Amino acid sequence: MQIVLNGDKVETSDGSTVEKLLLQLGISRDRVAVELNADIVPKSDYEKQLLSDGDKIEIVHFVGGG
Amino acid sequence: MTQTADKLIIGGREFTSRLMVGTGKYASFEQTARALEMSGAEIITVAVRRVNLDRSKESLLDYIDLKKYTLLPNTAGCYTADDAVRTCRLAREAGMSDFVKLEVLGDEKTLFPDNEELLKAAKILVAEGFTVLPYCSDDVIVCKKLEDIGCAAVMPLGAPIGSGLGIRNPYNIRIILENVSVPVIVDAGVGSASDAAIAMELGCAGVLMNTAIAGAQDPIAMAEAMKLAVIAGRLSFKAGRIPRKLYANASSPLDGLIV
């Protein structure tokens, strides 16, 4: 299936979860926030939050800024 | 007065340093970390952005000891209340802290705040339990409204962001200081150490800056200069300056002159 990750179309396997996606991307869950179709996914839901075809995912973190 | 007795309290938390610094525009993460160290800052601002999916890139937080600093995520780049609120919610989820530097910009050229959107966002965020530190115009009416909404501080600009023009309207800052009870922190406009000292001598609770340090020829040295300027300005304010007089007033006694 295809999801839109940070604005780009990305292929991911059926039955994927937020947790699996982060693992696949090699991103540590501690210092990021995840939005699924414009709603924040609480960290406690990462394992159970299933992804569906066409979902829009945003993964953000902190960068240098003023 | 000692520095330890003169704490800055924001959102119920105590800070010793009154200098807050940004983490943008440095040549490297190493330089960022060294400048932060030299500045003595305890509160540092960060931006919220999409992660780079190219994992070879390092992250700012790999270089920063999160036990030493309070992160103050900003909403830089947001031009509507909705975008700013969304960014703050993401920041809280990523950082597990309620502190946010709220900025809602009105225009790319001036980066001046859009006060209408700022007030709208502040109301929502305060209701959601955020500790809101808003970047705002040097306008006492806006500052009073932000205080009434429940913001933990107000952060009027000294001059446009990144301009280095210093405190362009010290009289406006004084009026704000006389009319609000929350901490007043000058955010934006500082160019040199004397600008930071002027803000503190006016009676501000603190100063927030980024470009003045990161853009200096030697950011590490400038970070130390800013640390000392903020301390000196604060002590000078607390000590109480002499009145300005038009004519001279001799410092040496007239008694016992040999002529």
Side-chain angles (χ1 to χ4, degrees), chain A residues 6-7 25-26 30-33 35 40 42-43 58-66, chain B residues 22-24 45-51 55 61 74 86 89-91 93-94 101 210:
Chain A
N6 288 359
L25 295 166
D30 299 339
R31 294 169 183 176
V32 297
E35 238 185 30
I40 287 179
K43 285 188 201 292
E58 294 285 345
I59 306 176
V60 301
H61 68 157
F62 295 131
V63 301
Chain B
T23 54
T45 63
V46 290
V48 179
R49 292 291 180 271
R50 285 172 165 169
V51 296
R55 274 166 287 144
L61 295 193
N74 69 27
R86 182 182 175 196
R89 288 173 182 154
L90 284 167
E93 187 62 25
K101 171 182 159 177
N210 187 345

PDB file of all heavy atoms in Angstrom, chain A residues 6-7 25-26 30-33 35 40 42-43 58-66, chain B residues 22-24 45-51 55 61 74 86 89-91 93-94 101 210:
ATOM      1  N   ASN A   6       5.521  12.698   5.116  1.00  0.00           N
ATOM      2  CA  ASN A   6       6.164  14.024   5.027  1.00  0.00           C
ATOM      3  C   ASN A   6       6.094  14.593   3.607  1.00  0.00           C
ATOM      4  O   ASN A   6       7.059  15.141   3.086  1.00  0.00           O
ATOM      5  CB  ASN A   6       7.619  13.968   5.509  1.00  0.00           C
ATOM      6  CG  ASN A   6       7.708  13.810   7.024  1.00  0.00           C
ATOM      7  OD1 ASN A   6       6.694  13.753   7.707  1.00  0.00           O
ATOM      8  ND2 ASN A   6       8.919  13.743   7.545  1.00  0.00           N
ATOM      9  N   GLY A   7       4.929  14.409   2.997  1.00  0.00           N
ATOM     10  CA  GLY A   7       4.684  14.999   1.679  1.00  0.00           C
ATOM     11  C   GLY A   7       5.078  14.126   0.499  1.00  0.00           C
ATOM     12  O   GLY A   7       4.761  14.458  -0.638  1.00  0.00           O
ATOM     13  N   LEU A  25      12.113   3.099   9.240  1.00  0.00           N
ATOM     14  CA  LEU A  25      12.849   4.319   8.877  1.00  0.00           C
ATOM     15  C   LEU A  25      14.086   4.532   9.750  1.00  0.00           C
ATOM     16  O   LEU A  25      14.890   5.414   9.496  1.00  0.00           O
ATOM     17  CB  LEU A  25      11.930   5.541   9.012  1.00  0.00           C
ATOM     18  CG  LEU A  25      10.727   5.594   8.065  1.00  0.00           C
ATOM     19  CD1 LEU A  25       9.741   6.653   8.522  1.00  0.00           C
ATOM     20  CD2 LEU A  25      11.182   5.875   6.639  1.00  0.00           C
ATOM     21  N   GLY A  26      14.198   3.732  10.807  1.00  0.00           N
ATOM     22  CA  GLY A  26      15.331   3.879  11.721  1.00  0.00           C
ATOM     23  C   GLY A  26      15.244   5.142  12.558  1.00  0.00           C
ATOM     24  O   GLY A  26      16.253   5.762  12.900  1.00  0.00           O
ATOM     25  N   ASP A  30      11.578   8.426  20.701  1.00  0.00           N
ATOM     26  CA  ASP A  30      11.647   9.333  21.852  1.00  0.00           C
ATOM     27  C   ASP A  30      11.533  10.811  21.483  1.00  0.00           C
ATOM     28  O   ASP A  30      10.923  11.578  22.188  1.00  0.00           O
ATOM     29  CB  ASP A  30      12.970   9.129  22.607  1.00  0.00           C
ATOM     30  CG  ASP A  30      13.078   7.716  23.127  1.00  0.00           C
ATOM     31  OD1 ASP A  30      12.024   7.067  23.259  1.00  0.00           O
ATOM     32  OD2 ASP A  30      14.208   7.256  23.372  1.00  0.00           O
ATOM     33  N   ARG A  31      12.151  11.195  20.403  1.00  0.00           N
ATOM     34  CA  ARG A  31      12.261  12.631  20.132  1.00  0.00           C
ATOM     35  C   ARG A  31      11.499  13.086  18.897  1.00  0.00           C
ATOM     36  O   ARG A  31      11.868  14.047  18.252  1.00  0.00           O
ATOM     37  CB  ARG A  31      13.738  13.004  19.983  1.00  0.00           C
ATOM     38  CG  ARG A  31      14.520  12.840  21.270  1.00  0.00           C
ATOM     39  CD  ARG A  31      15.989  12.971  20.988  1.00  0.00           C
ATOM     40  NE  ARG A  31      16.773  12.746  22.175  1.00  0.00           N
ATOM     41  CZ  ARG A  31      18.091  12.723  22.170  1.00  0.00           C
ATOM     42  NH1 ARG A  31      18.759  12.905  21.042  1.00  0.00           N
ATOM     43  NH2 ARG A  31      18.760  12.516  23.283  1.00  0.00           N
ATOM     44  N   VAL A  32      10.448  12.351  18.574  1.00  0.00           N
ATOM     45  CA  VAL A  32       9.639  12.750  17.421  1.00  0.00           C
ATOM     46  C   VAL A  32       8.172  12.865  17.831  1.00  0.00           C
ATOM     47  O   VAL A  32       7.767  12.415  18.905  1.00  0.00           O
ATOM     48  CB  VAL A  32       9.756  11.744  16.249  1.00  0.00           C
ATOM     49  CG1 VAL A  32      11.170  11.682  15.722  1.00  0.00           C
ATOM     50  CG2 VAL A  32       9.248  10.370  16.653  1.00  0.00           C
ATOM     51  N   ALA A  33       7.403  13.499  16.973  1.00  0.00           N
ATOM     52  CA  ALA A  33       5.945  13.485  17.115  1.00  0.00           C
ATOM     53  C   ALA A  33       5.387  13.040  15.775  1.00  0.00           C
ATOM     54  O   ALA A  33       5.963  13.325  14.723  1.00  0.00           O
ATOM     55  CB  ALA A  33       5.428  14.863  17.486  1.00  0.00           C
ATOM     56  N   GLU A  35       1.917  12.662  13.298  1.00  0.00           N
ATOM     57  CA  GLU A  35       0.553  13.059  12.974  1.00  0.00           C
ATOM     58  C   GLU A  35       0.022  12.089  11.925  1.00  0.00           C
ATOM     59  O   GLU A  35       0.717  11.800  10.944  1.00  0.00           O
ATOM     60  CB  GLU A  35       0.592  14.446  12.332  1.00  0.00           C
ATOM     61  CG  GLU A  35      -0.217  15.495  13.038  1.00  0.00           C
ATOM     62  CD  GLU A  35      -0.216  16.794  12.251  1.00  0.00           C
ATOM     63  OE1 GLU A  35      -0.113  16.778  11.011  1.00  0.00           O
ATOM     64  OE2 GLU A  35      -0.320  17.840  12.874  1.00  0.00           O
ATOM     65  N   ILE A  40      -2.668  14.085  16.069  1.00  0.00           N
ATOM     66  CA  ILE A  40      -1.473  13.559  16.718  1.00  0.00           C
ATOM     67  C   ILE A  40      -1.715  12.133  17.211  1.00  0.00           C
ATOM     68  O   ILE A  40      -2.777  11.829  17.756  1.00  0.00           O
ATOM     69  CB  ILE A  40      -1.064  14.464  17.899  1.00  0.00           C
ATOM     70  CG1 ILE A  40      -0.469  15.759  17.334  1.00  0.00           C
ATOM     71  CG2 ILE A  40      -0.086  13.765  18.834  1.00  0.00           C
ATOM     72  CD1 ILE A  40      -0.035  16.752  18.343  1.00  0.00           C
ATOM     73  N   PRO A  42      -0.642   9.668  19.956  1.00  0.00           N
ATOM     74  CA  PRO A  42       0.116   9.605  21.218  1.00  0.00           C
ATOM     75  C   PRO A  42       1.135   8.457  21.161  1.00  0.00           C
ATOM     76  O   PRO A  42       0.855   7.420  20.555  1.00  0.00           O
ATOM     77  CB  PRO A  42      -0.956   9.335  22.280  1.00  0.00           C
ATOM     78  CG  PRO A  42      -2.261   9.629  21.637  1.00  0.00           C
ATOM     79  CD  PRO A  42      -2.067   9.407  20.155  1.00  0.00           C
ATOM     80  N   LYS A  43       2.270   8.666  21.815  1.00  0.00           N
ATOM     81  CA  LYS A  43       3.333   7.647  21.762  1.00  0.00           C
ATOM     82  C   LYS A  43       2.821   6.280  22.239  1.00  0.00           C
ATOM     83  O   LYS A  43       3.251   5.246  21.740  1.00  0.00           O
ATOM     84  CB  LYS A  43       4.521   8.094  22.612  1.00  0.00           C
ATOM     85  CG  LYS A  43       5.342   9.195  21.932  1.00  0.00           C
ATOM     86  CD  LYS A  43       6.626   9.481  22.700  1.00  0.00           C
ATOM     87  CE  LYS A  43       7.209  10.854  22.388  1.00  0.00           C
ATOM     88  NZ  LYS A  43       7.718  11.020  21.038  1.00  0.00           N
ATOM     89  N   GLU A  58       2.809  12.647   9.101  1.00  0.00           N
ATOM     90  CA  GLU A  58       3.872  13.626   9.294  1.00  0.00           C
ATOM     91  C   GLU A  58       4.698  13.171  10.488  1.00  0.00           C
ATOM     92  O   GLU A  58       4.143  12.842  11.549  1.00  0.00           O
ATOM     93  CB  GLU A  58       3.297  15.025   9.591  1.00  0.00           C
ATOM     94  CG  GLU A  58       2.529  15.660   8.455  1.00  0.00           C
ATOM     95  CD  GLU A  58       3.428  16.200   7.331  1.00  0.00           C
ATOM     96  OE1 GLU A  58       4.655  16.346   7.550  1.00  0.00           O
ATOM     97  OE2 GLU A  58       2.893  16.476   6.240  1.00  0.00           O
ATOM     98  N   ILE A  59       6.007  13.141  10.312  1.00  0.00           N
ATOM     99  CA  ILE A  59       6.902  12.840  11.436  1.00  0.00           C
ATOM    100  C   ILE A  59       7.799  14.059  11.602  1.00  0.00           C
ATOM    101  O   ILE A  59       8.514  14.448  10.671  1.00  0.00           O
ATOM    102  CB  ILE A  59       7.754  11.579  11.181  1.00  0.00           C
ATOM    103  CG1 ILE A  59       6.856  10.392  10.817  1.00  0.00           C
ATOM    104  CG2 ILE A  59       8.590  11.247  12.419  1.00  0.00           C
ATOM    105  CD1 ILE A  59       7.617   9.131  10.449  1.00  0.00           C
ATOM    106  N   VAL A  60       7.733  14.685  12.778  1.00  0.00           N
ATOM    107  CA  VAL A  60       8.521  15.908  13.004  1.00  0.00           C
ATOM    108  C   VAL A  60       9.459  15.721  14.191  1.00  0.00           C
ATOM    109  O   VAL A  60       9.264  14.839  15.031  1.00  0.00           O
ATOM    110  CB  VAL A  60       7.608  17.135  13.250  1.00  0.00           C
ATOM    111  CG1 VAL A  60       6.679  17.385  12.079  1.00  0.00           C
ATOM    112  CG2 VAL A  60       6.804  16.983  14.536  1.00  0.00           C
ATOM    113  N   HIS A  61      10.460  16.574  14.228  1.00  0.00           N
ATOM    114  CA  HIS A  61      11.382  16.590  15.359  1.00  0.00           C
ATOM    115  C   HIS A  61      11.883  18.018  15.542  1.00  0.00           C
ATOM    116  O   HIS A  61      11.462  18.922  14.826  1.00  0.00           O
ATOM    117  CB  HIS A  61      12.532  15.591  15.145  1.00  0.00           C
ATOM    118  CG  HIS A  61      13.483  15.956  14.041  1.00  0.00           C
ATOM    119  ND1 HIS A  61      14.776  15.489  13.977  1.00  0.00           N
ATOM    120  CD2 HIS A  61      13.325  16.764  12.957  1.00  0.00           C
ATOM    121  CE1 HIS A  61      15.360  15.976  12.890  1.00  0.00           C
ATOM    122  NE2 HIS A  61      14.512  16.744  12.262  1.00  0.00           N
ATOM    123  N   PHE A  62      12.793  18.206  16.497  1.00  0.00           N
ATOM    124  CA  PHE A  62      13.324  19.542  16.761  1.00  0.00           C
ATOM    125  C   PHE A  62      14.587  19.786  15.950  1.00  0.00           C
ATOM    126  O   PHE A  62      15.470  18.932  15.880  1.00  0.00           O
ATOM    127  CB  PHE A  62      13.644  19.707  18.250  1.00  0.00           C
ATOM    128  CG  PHE A  62      12.432  19.659  19.132  1.00  0.00           C
ATOM    129  CD1 PHE A  62      12.407  18.855  20.254  1.00  0.00           C
ATOM    130  CD2 PHE A  62      11.302  20.420  18.843  1.00  0.00           C
ATOM    131  CE1 PHE A  62      11.288  18.805  21.081  1.00  0.00           C
ATOM    132  CE2 PHE A  62      10.173  20.385  19.657  1.00  0.00           C
ATOM    133  CZ  PHE A  62      10.173  19.566  20.772  1.00  0.00           C
ATOM    134  N   VAL A  63      14.654  20.968  15.364  1.00  0.00           N
ATOM    135  CA  VAL A  63      15.869  21.394  14.658  1.00  0.00           C
ATOM    136  C   VAL A  63      16.271  22.757  15.223  1.00  0.00           C
ATOM    137  O   VAL A  63      15.528  23.344  15.999  1.00  0.00           O
ATOM    138  CB  VAL A  63      15.635  21.500  13.128  1.00  0.00           C
ATOM    139  CG1 VAL A  63      15.189  20.164  12.548  1.00  0.00           C
ATOM    140  CG2 VAL A  63      14.612  22.581  12.791  1.00  0.00           C
ATOM    141  N   GLY A  64      17.458  23.235  14.818  1.00  0.00           N
ATOM    142  CA  GLY A  64      17.911  24.539  15.282  1.00  0.00           C
ATOM    143  C   GLY A  64      16.948  25.633  14.848  1.00  0.00           C
ATOM    144  O   GLY A  64      16.478  25.627  13.713  1.00  0.00           O
ATOM    145  N   GLY A  65      16.682  26.554  15.754  1.00  0.00           N
ATOM    146  CA  GLY A  65      15.779  27.651  15.426  1.00  0.00           C
ATOM    147  C   GLY A  65      15.799  28.711  16.505  1.00  0.00           C
ATOM    148  O   GLY A  65      16.319  28.484  17.603  1.00  0.00           O
ATOM    149  N   GLY A  66      15.247  29.864  16.176  1.00  0.00           N
ATOM    150  CA  GLY A  66      15.382  31.001  17.097  1.00  0.00           C
ATOM    151  C   GLY A  66      14.111  31.378  17.838  1.00  0.00           C
ATOM    152  O   GLY A  66      13.092  30.787  17.727  1.00  0.00           O
TER     153      GLY A  66
ATOM    154  N   GLY B  22      18.671  31.079  20.892  1.00  0.00           N
ATOM    155  CA  GLY B  22      18.201  30.219  19.827  1.00  0.00           C
ATOM    156  C   GLY B  22      19.307  29.286  19.372  1.00  0.00           C
ATOM    157  O   GLY B  22      20.484  29.466  19.707  1.00  0.00           O
ATOM    158  N   THR B  23      18.928  28.271  18.611  1.00  0.00           N
ATOM    159  CA  THR B  23      19.888  27.252  18.181  1.00  0.00           C
ATOM    160  C   THR B  23      20.021  27.211  16.654  1.00  0.00           C
ATOM    161  O   THR B  23      20.594  26.276  16.104  1.00  0.00           O
ATOM    162  CB  THR B  23      19.430  25.862  18.688  1.00  0.00           C
ATOM    163  OG1 THR B  23      18.077  25.644  18.247  1.00  0.00           O
ATOM    164  CG2 THR B  23      19.472  25.784  20.205  1.00  0.00           C
ATOM    165  N   GLY B  24      19.511  28.232  15.977  1.00  0.00           N
ATOM    166  CA  GLY B  24      19.570  28.249  14.521  1.00  0.00           C
ATOM    167  C   GLY B  24      20.778  28.991  13.986  1.00  0.00           C
ATOM    168  O   GLY B  24      21.438  29.739  14.716  1.00  0.00           O
ATOM    169  N   THR B  45      15.756  27.865  22.435  1.00  0.00           N
ATOM    170  CA  THR B  45      14.649  27.666  21.499  1.00  0.00           C
ATOM    171  C   THR B  45      15.051  26.674  20.401  1.00  0.00           C
ATOM    172  O   THR B  45      16.220  26.557  20.033  1.00  0.00           O
ATOM    173  CB  THR B  45      14.198  28.984  20.843  1.00  0.00           C
ATOM    174  OG1 THR B  45      15.266  29.524  20.068  1.00  0.00           O
ATOM    175  CG2 THR B  45      13.750  29.993  21.879  1.00  0.00           C
ATOM    176  N   VAL B  46      14.038  25.954  19.930  1.00  0.00           N
ATOM    177  CA  VAL B  46      14.213  25.017  18.811  1.00  0.00           C
ATOM    178  C   VAL B  46      13.004  25.167  17.888  1.00  0.00           C
ATOM    179  O   VAL B  46      11.964  25.677  18.308  1.00  0.00           O
ATOM    180  CB  VAL B  46      14.312  23.548  19.290  1.00  0.00           C
ATOM    181  CG1 VAL B  46      15.612  23.279  20.022  1.00  0.00           C
ATOM    182  CG2 VAL B  46      13.123  23.163  20.177  1.00  0.00           C
ATOM    183  N   ALA B  47      13.166  24.742  16.655  1.00  0.00           N
ATOM    184  CA  ALA B  47      12.049  24.764  15.708  1.00  0.00           C
ATOM    185  C   ALA B  47      11.539  23.341  15.522  1.00  0.00           C
ATOM    186  O   ALA B  47      12.249  22.371  15.804  1.00  0.00           O
ATOM    187  CB  ALA B  47      12.498  25.356  14.378  1.00  0.00           C
ATOM    188  N   VAL B  48      10.311  23.228  15.050  1.00  0.00           N
ATOM    189  CA  VAL B  48       9.693  21.917  14.785  1.00  0.00           C
ATOM    190  C   VAL B  48       9.613  21.741  13.274  1.00  0.00           C
ATOM    191  O   VAL B  48       8.994  22.541  12.584  1.00  0.00           O
ATOM    192  CB  VAL B  48       8.264  21.867  15.389  1.00  0.00           C
ATOM    193  CG1 VAL B  48       7.605  20.523  15.106  1.00  0.00           C
ATOM    194  CG2 VAL B  48       8.301  22.145  16.888  1.00  0.00           C
ATOM    195  N   ARG B  49      10.269  20.712  12.780  1.00  0.00           N
ATOM    196  CA  ARG B  49      10.283  20.488  11.327  1.00  0.00           C
ATOM    197  C   ARG B  49      10.155  18.997  11.029  1.00  0.00           C
ATOM    198  O   ARG B  49      10.430  18.161  11.886  1.00  0.00           O
ATOM    199  CB  ARG B  49      11.601  21.023  10.721  1.00  0.00           C
ATOM    200  CG  ARG B  49      11.752  22.535  10.766  1.00  0.00           C
ATOM    201  CD  ARG B  49      10.787  23.251   9.844  1.00  0.00           C
ATOM    202  NE  ARG B  49      10.941  24.705   9.882  1.00  0.00           N
ATOM    203  CZ  ARG B  49      10.313  25.524  10.711  1.00  0.00           C
ATOM    204  NH1 ARG B  49       9.479  25.021  11.611  1.00  0.00           N
ATOM    205  NH2 ARG B  49      10.489  26.829  10.655  1.00  0.00           N
ATOM    206  N   ARG B  50       9.804  18.693   9.767  1.00  0.00           N
ATOM    207  CA  ARG B  50       9.762  17.304   9.330  1.00  0.00           C
ATOM    208  C   ARG B  50      11.134  16.650   9.519  1.00  0.00           C
ATOM    209  O   ARG B  50      12.154  17.294   9.266  1.00  0.00           O
ATOM    210  CB  ARG B  50       9.426  17.251   7.841  1.00  0.00           C
ATOM    211  CG  ARG B  50       7.961  17.528   7.554  1.00  0.00           C
ATOM    212  CD  ARG B  50       7.736  17.663   6.078  1.00  0.00           C
ATOM    213  NE  ARG B  50       6.307  17.588   5.748  1.00  0.00           N
ATOM    214  CZ  ARG B  50       5.799  17.888   4.568  1.00  0.00           C
ATOM    215  NH1 ARG B  50       6.585  18.300   3.590  1.00  0.00           N
ATOM    216  NH2 ARG B  50       4.506  17.788   4.344  1.00  0.00           N
ATOM    217  N   VAL B  51      11.143  15.398   9.938  1.00  0.00           N
ATOM    218  CA  VAL B  51      12.425  14.690  10.040  1.00  0.00           C
ATOM    219  C   VAL B  51      12.965  14.454   8.631  1.00  0.00           C
ATOM    220  O   VAL B  51      12.210  14.263   7.678  1.00  0.00           O
ATOM    221  CB  VAL B  51      12.325  13.324  10.768  1.00  0.00           C
ATOM    222  CG1 VAL B  51      11.923  13.492  12.214  1.00  0.00           C
ATOM    223  CG2 VAL B  51      11.364  12.388  10.068  1.00  0.00           C
ATOM    224  N   ARG B  55      18.771   9.098   6.931  1.00  0.00           N
ATOM    225  CA  ARG B  55      19.219   8.881   8.302  1.00  0.00           C
ATOM    226  C   ARG B  55      20.688   9.208   8.548  1.00  0.00           C
ATOM    227  O   ARG B  55      21.125   9.262   9.676  1.00  0.00           O
ATOM    228  CB  ARG B  55      18.943   7.430   8.726  1.00  0.00           C
ATOM    229  CG  ARG B  55      17.567   7.223   9.253  1.00  0.00           C
ATOM    230  CD  ARG B  55      17.252   5.762   9.331  1.00  0.00           C
ATOM    231  NE  ARG B  55      17.020   5.177   8.017  1.00  0.00           N
ATOM    232  CZ  ARG B  55      17.384   3.960   7.679  1.00  0.00           C
ATOM    233  NH1 ARG B  55      18.000   3.190   8.520  1.00  0.00           N
ATOM    234  NH2 ARG B  55      17.131   3.501   6.465  1.00  0.00           N
ATOM    235  N   LEU B  61      19.698  17.461  18.619  1.00  0.00           N
ATOM    236  CA  LEU B  61      19.574  16.969  19.993  1.00  0.00           C
ATOM    237  C   LEU B  61      20.648  15.933  20.354  1.00  0.00           C
ATOM    238  O   LEU B  61      20.856  15.645  21.521  1.00  0.00           O
ATOM    239  CB  LEU B  61      18.176  16.400  20.243  1.00  0.00           C
ATOM    240  CG  LEU B  61      17.016  17.400  20.174  1.00  0.00           C
ATOM    241  CD1 LEU B  61      15.750  16.797  20.749  1.00  0.00           C
ATOM    242  CD2 LEU B  61      17.323  18.712  20.867  1.00  0.00           C
ATOM    243  N   ASN B  74       9.572  26.662  19.136  1.00  0.00           N
ATOM    244  CA  ASN B  74       8.904  27.838  18.574  1.00  0.00           C
ATOM    245  C   ASN B  74       7.927  27.436  17.469  1.00  0.00           C
ATOM    246  O   ASN B  74       7.861  26.272  17.060  1.00  0.00           O
ATOM    247  CB  ASN B  74       9.936  28.856  18.074  1.00  0.00           C
ATOM    248  CG  ASN B  74      10.707  28.387  16.854  1.00  0.00           C
ATOM    249  OD1 ASN B  74      10.223  27.580  16.062  1.00  0.00           O
ATOM    250  ND2 ASN B  74      11.920  28.884  16.689  1.00  0.00           N
ATOM    251  N   ARG B  86      -1.196  23.836  15.825  1.00  0.00           N
ATOM    252  CA  ARG B  86      -0.823  22.486  15.375  1.00  0.00           C
ATOM    253  C   ARG B  86       0.656  22.216  15.698  1.00  0.00           C
ATOM    254  O   ARG B  86       1.010  21.143  16.196  1.00  0.00           O
ATOM    255  CB  ARG B  86      -1.073  22.396  13.865  1.00  0.00           C
ATOM    256  CG  ARG B  86      -0.794  21.051  13.257  1.00  0.00           C
ATOM    257  CD  ARG B  86      -1.029  21.093  11.757  1.00  0.00           C
ATOM    258  NE  ARG B  86      -0.657  19.841  11.115  1.00  0.00           N
ATOM    259  CZ  ARG B  86      -0.462  19.708   9.805  1.00  0.00           C
ATOM    260  NH1 ARG B  86      -0.617  20.754   9.000  1.00  0.00           N
ATOM    261  NH2 ARG B  86      -0.119  18.549   9.295  1.00  0.00           N
ATOM    262  N   ARG B  89       1.183  21.626  19.435  1.00  0.00           N
ATOM    263  CA  ARG B  89       0.737  20.284  19.864  1.00  0.00           C
ATOM    264  C   ARG B  89       1.781  19.230  19.499  1.00  0.00           C
ATOM    265  O   ARG B  89       2.079  18.330  20.285  1.00  0.00           O
ATOM    266  CB  ARG B  89      -0.607  19.945  19.209  1.00  0.00           C
ATOM    267  CG  ARG B  89      -1.767  20.753  19.790  1.00  0.00           C
ATOM    268  CD  ARG B  89      -3.035  20.505  19.006  1.00  0.00           C
ATOM    269  NE  ARG B  89      -4.152  21.302  19.504  1.00  0.00           N
ATOM    270  CZ  ARG B  89      -5.190  21.672  18.747  1.00  0.00           C
ATOM    271  NH1 ARG B  89      -5.255  21.315  17.480  1.00  0.00           N
ATOM    272  NH2 ARG B  89      -6.160  22.408  19.258  1.00  0.00           N
ATOM    273  N   LEU B  90       2.337  19.358  18.313  1.00  0.00           N
ATOM    274  CA  LEU B  90       3.397  18.424  17.896  1.00  0.00           C
ATOM    275  C   LEU B  90       4.621  18.573  18.792  1.00  0.00           C
ATOM    276  O   LEU B  90       5.246  17.597  19.195  1.00  0.00           O
ATOM    277  CB  LEU B  90       3.782  18.686  16.430  1.00  0.00           C
ATOM    278  CG  LEU B  90       2.792  18.165  15.384  1.00  0.00           C
ATOM    279  CD1 LEU B  90       3.104  18.754  14.012  1.00  0.00           C
ATOM    280  CD2 LEU B  90       2.839  16.639  15.318  1.00  0.00           C
ATOM    281  N   ALA B  91       4.952  19.830  19.113  1.00  0.00           N
ATOM    282  CA  ALA B  91       6.132  20.092  19.954  1.00  0.00           C
ATOM    283  C   ALA B  91       5.961  19.451  21.323  1.00  0.00           C
ATOM    284  O   ALA B  91       6.896  18.858  21.863  1.00  0.00           O
ATOM    285  CB  ALA B  91       6.343  21.595  20.097  1.00  0.00           C
ATOM    286  N   GLU B  93       4.178  16.866  22.077  1.00  0.00           N
ATOM    287  CA  GLU B  93       4.267  15.407  21.927  1.00  0.00           C
ATOM    288  C   GLU B  93       5.733  14.970  21.748  1.00  0.00           C
ATOM    289  O   GLU B  93       6.147  13.960  22.293  1.00  0.00           O
ATOM    290  CB  GLU B  93       3.431  14.961  20.724  1.00  0.00           C
ATOM    291  CG  GLU B  93       3.305  13.467  20.554  1.00  0.00           C
ATOM    292  CD  GLU B  93       2.613  12.761  21.720  1.00  0.00           C
ATOM    293  OE1 GLU B  93       1.823  13.389  22.439  1.00  0.00           O
ATOM    294  OE2 GLU B  93       2.896  11.554  21.909  1.00  0.00           O
ATOM    295  N   ALA B  94       6.495  15.773  21.012  1.00  0.00           N
ATOM    296  CA  ALA B  94       7.902  15.407  20.759  1.00  0.00           C
ATOM    297  C   ALA B  94       8.780  15.682  21.973  1.00  0.00           C
ATOM    298  O   ALA B  94       9.734  14.956  22.225  1.00  0.00           O
ATOM    299  CB  ALA B  94       8.428  16.169  19.548  1.00  0.00           C
ATOM    300  N   LYS B 101       7.295  28.814  22.588  1.00  0.00           N
ATOM    301  CA  LYS B 101       7.449  30.194  22.143  1.00  0.00           C
ATOM    302  C   LYS B 101       6.490  30.353  20.964  1.00  0.00           C
ATOM    303  O   LYS B 101       6.712  29.795  19.890  1.00  0.00           O
ATOM    304  CB  LYS B 101       8.892  30.481  21.710  1.00  0.00           C
ATOM    305  CG  LYS B 101       9.013  31.847  21.041  1.00  0.00           C
ATOM    306  CD  LYS B 101      10.415  32.162  20.553  1.00  0.00           C
ATOM    307  CE  LYS B 101      10.362  33.239  19.484  1.00  0.00           C
ATOM    308  NZ  LYS B 101      11.692  33.648  19.014  1.00  0.00           N
ATOM    309  N   ASN B 210      19.163  35.049  18.902  1.00  0.00           N
ATOM    310  CA  ASN B 210      19.764  33.954  18.147  1.00  0.00           C
ATOM    311  C   ASN B 210      20.823  34.509  17.198  1.00  0.00           C
ATOM    312  O   ASN B 210      22.018  34.265  17.360  1.00  0.00           O
ATOM    313  CB  ASN B 210      18.685  33.183  17.379  1.00  0.00           C
ATOM    314  CG  ASN B 210      19.201  31.927  16.712  1.00  0.00           C
ATOM    315  OD1 ASN B 210      20.400  31.714  16.556  1.00  0.00           O
ATOM    316  ND2 ASN B 210      18.326  31.062  16.297  1.00  0.00           N
TER     317      ASN B 210
END
